[in-house]
Amino acid sequence: MHTNTTPRPSTTPSLFPLAEHGIDSLETLRDATMRCRACPIGEFATQSVIGEGPLGAKLMLVGEQPGDQEDRQGQPFIGPAGQLLDHALAEAGLPREQLFVANAVKHFKFEMRGKRRIHKSPGQREAAACLHWLEDEIALVQPEALVALGARAASSLLGRAVAVMKERGQWLARSDGRQVLVTLHPSALLRVLPDEREAAIGLFVQDLRKARRVLQHQ
Ligand code: URA
């Protein structure tokens, strides 16, 4: 199901009751995700990386998983993909400080190539193991609507496989009533050939602009 109308505030309770597993703040969420070994990747990461931004932010952006720099510094979207995202958000008129920016998976998954840690996409199992942490974040932040950056975020948020190129730019409904705007992951834009990149970023900004109305609701 999809709708292109402006999302309205959700009044539906969260999918996972927070109190049941003792998460009542970002600090308790951070501590719990630091200890999480429900899948193998937590053991190899430097730390967990939970979302950042104001509780009560109207709009929440969700990426895939922390990258190398995010893993080292403990903050989401601060590396090359984050820089591209910051640029696109500014172009789209979405001030990052008003948004809550998070990831579907809280630990960095990588493989070693020589001395380099190379990003590996999290699989279904890791995403499923992390889903309740993401839902805890949504329950803490209580956003009106969300933006899914890429296929992993979209499928975690919507509970189904999402064909990002087909469904990008659309508002899709979650089972809690919140709307999710689907678009590409900024890392995908970094992989676009240089002479096509500007146009691809332009389309990404166009998608993000559709979320601006959420910030303008009273
Ligand atoms: N890619 C993501 O999906 N999230 C980050 O925080 C960084 C890179």
Side-chain angles (χ1 to χ4, degrees), residues 15-86:
L15 300 176
F16 292 76
L18 281 174
E20 267 180 23
H21 45 288
I23 304 300
D24 56 8
S25 65
L26 291 177
E27 289 69 33
T28 52
L29 179 68
R30 176 176 289 109
D31 290 348
T33 56
M34 287 282 188
R35 290 192 304 270
C36 182
R37 296 294 180 266
C39 80
I41 62 178
E43 196 165 331
F44 302 101
T46 309
Q47 57 192 315
S48 65
V49 180
I50 64 161
E52 219 175 49
L55 294 183
K58 291 180 177 175
L59 192 63
M60 178 163 166
L61 267 59
V62 180
E64 182 198 63
Q65 65 167 359
D68 180 73
Q69 294 191 37
E70 290 80 9
D71 170 77
R72 294 177 198 278
Q73 297 187 46
Q75 290 175 273
F77 281 106
I78 52 164
Q83 281 159 26
L84 193 151
L85 179 64
D86 284 348

